[in-house]
């Protein structure tokens, strides 16, 4: 089976077959990561540049590790300390890098649509590692992989996405992916953090009551408050948010069933999740981190066309 796209710009552009191929290929790479020797020669002689214009810890390390596990040659680029600080444009930066014969670009940028812009202007395969408040497709894929691994299926699974929906690219990719794959999705958060158009645009349900949402769902994917992307005050305080939408051990104990807890990180402990929830047996947060390497290996491998 072959991907319908040359790039991974967002889940919105993928077919159901593309998503299944990414997830099924990730299963094979996760098996590789359990071996004593975790490195395979799948992308030997492929050069990948990690082009990060935004700060990142988990995503960047995960991509770098995936590239090393696949034996790719890796170039790491950060905007600080580069000619970007001297006024060099994005296109000039990438064209200079491509003149060094780069095959693939993994890009994170604060501007929505930046990876799409590159895809129209350069021949290398582009992987979107997060653009503005648009999408974070590899996070969506690894979340879906983790749900399928834990629950057994995506189709029919009840998933709640809780928190700052308005400013979250993780929420966008999750909604696109989960609805395409047949999951039932409810979003929950303060009315000021849930876009009014979301039900019609994404085919999801909105519920502002956290207790009702948790009683309904099988999986809760909890998001942090994106204070750095908010240009106005949208709720009184973090303390108020925690009282209304924070998930505590006491709240989970009051539910009629056990649910799976997820979080894309970084966690604001004591705000959206209490520590005894984040570190509990119901949490698969560390499994998400582990699965991120396998999923990104699958993405890089499939986009390289080395499987043809």
């Amino acid at each position: 089976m072959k991907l319908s796209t040359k790039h991974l710009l967002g889940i919105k552009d993928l077919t159901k077959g593309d998503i299944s191929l990414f997830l099924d290929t990730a299963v094979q790479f996760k098996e590789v990561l359990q071996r004593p020797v975790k490195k395979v020669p799948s992308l030997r002689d492929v050069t990948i540049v990690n082009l990060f214009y935004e700060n990142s810890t988990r995503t960047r390390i995960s991509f770098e590790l995936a590239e090393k596990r696949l034996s790719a040659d890796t170039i790491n680029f950060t905007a600080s300390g580069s000619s970007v600080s001297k006024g060099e444009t994005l296109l000039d930066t990438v064209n200079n890098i491509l003149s060094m014969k780069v095959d693939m670009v993994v890009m994170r940028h604060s501007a929505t649509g930046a990876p799409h812009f590159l895809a129209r202007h350069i021949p290398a395969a582009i992987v979107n590692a997060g653009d503005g408040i648009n999408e974070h497709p590899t996070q969506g894929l690894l979340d879906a992989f983790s749900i399928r691994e834990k629950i057994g299926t995506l189709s029919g699974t009840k998933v709640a996405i809780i928190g700052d929906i308005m400013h979250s690219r993780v929420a966008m990719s999750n909604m696109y992916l989960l609805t395409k794959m047949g999951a039932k999705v409810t979003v929950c958060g303060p009315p000021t953090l849930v876009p009014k158009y979301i039900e019609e645009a994404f085919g999801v349900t909105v519920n502002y009551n956290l207790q009702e949402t948790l009683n309904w769902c099988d999986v809760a994917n909890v998001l942090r408050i994106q204070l750095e992307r908010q240009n106005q005050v949208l709720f009184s305080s973090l303390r108020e948010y925690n009282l209304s939408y924070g998930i505590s051990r006491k709240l989970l104990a009051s539910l009629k069933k056990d649910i799976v807890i997820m979080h894309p990180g970084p966690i604001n402990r004591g705000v959206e999740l209490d520590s005894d929830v984040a570190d509990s047996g119901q949490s698969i947060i560390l499994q998400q981190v582990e699965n991120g390497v396998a999923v990104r290996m699958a993405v890089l491998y499939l986009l390289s066309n080395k499987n043809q």
Side-chain angles (χ1 to χ4, degrees), residues 25 40 47 71 84 86 101 103 108 133 144 147 221 236 260:
T25 305
V40 291
T47 303
S71 302
V84 171
K86 303 174 185 176
K101 308 304 179 187
D103 303 295
R108 171 170 283 203
I133 58 171
I147 293 169
N221 199 351
S236 298
V260 177

Side-chain angles (χ1 to χ4, degrees), residues 188-206:
C188 178
T192 53
L193 294 179
V194 179
K196 303 299 182 187
Y197 61 81
I198 205 163
E199 285 185 282
E200 183 178 348
F202 290 92
V204 301
T205 301
V206 174

Side-chain angles (χ1 to χ4, degrees), residues 21-31 145 291 294-295 298:
L21 183 56
F22 280 129
L23 298 182
D24 292 344
T25 305
V27 172
Q28 299 172 42
F29 281 120
K30 184 160 185 183
E31 292 172 358
F145 182 90
N291 290 338
V295 167

Side-chain angles (χ1 to χ4, degrees), residues 73-123:
D73 296 319
T74 301
I75 302 169
N76 293 314
F77 173 97
T78 54
S80 60
S82 72
S83 293
V84 171
S85 60
K86 303 174 185 176
E88 185 173 76
T89 67
L90 171 61
L91 192 56
D92 283 341
T93 297
V94 175
N95 278 330
N96 284 324
I97 293 171
L98 287 177
S99 67
M100 305 171 196
K101 308 304 179 187
V102 169
D103 303 295
M104 194 176 300
V105 177
V106 176
M107 181 185 191
R108 171 170 283 203
H109 204 288
S110 60
T112 296
H116 304 71
F117 171 78
L118 278 194
R120 291 193 299 269
H121 288 88
I122 66 174

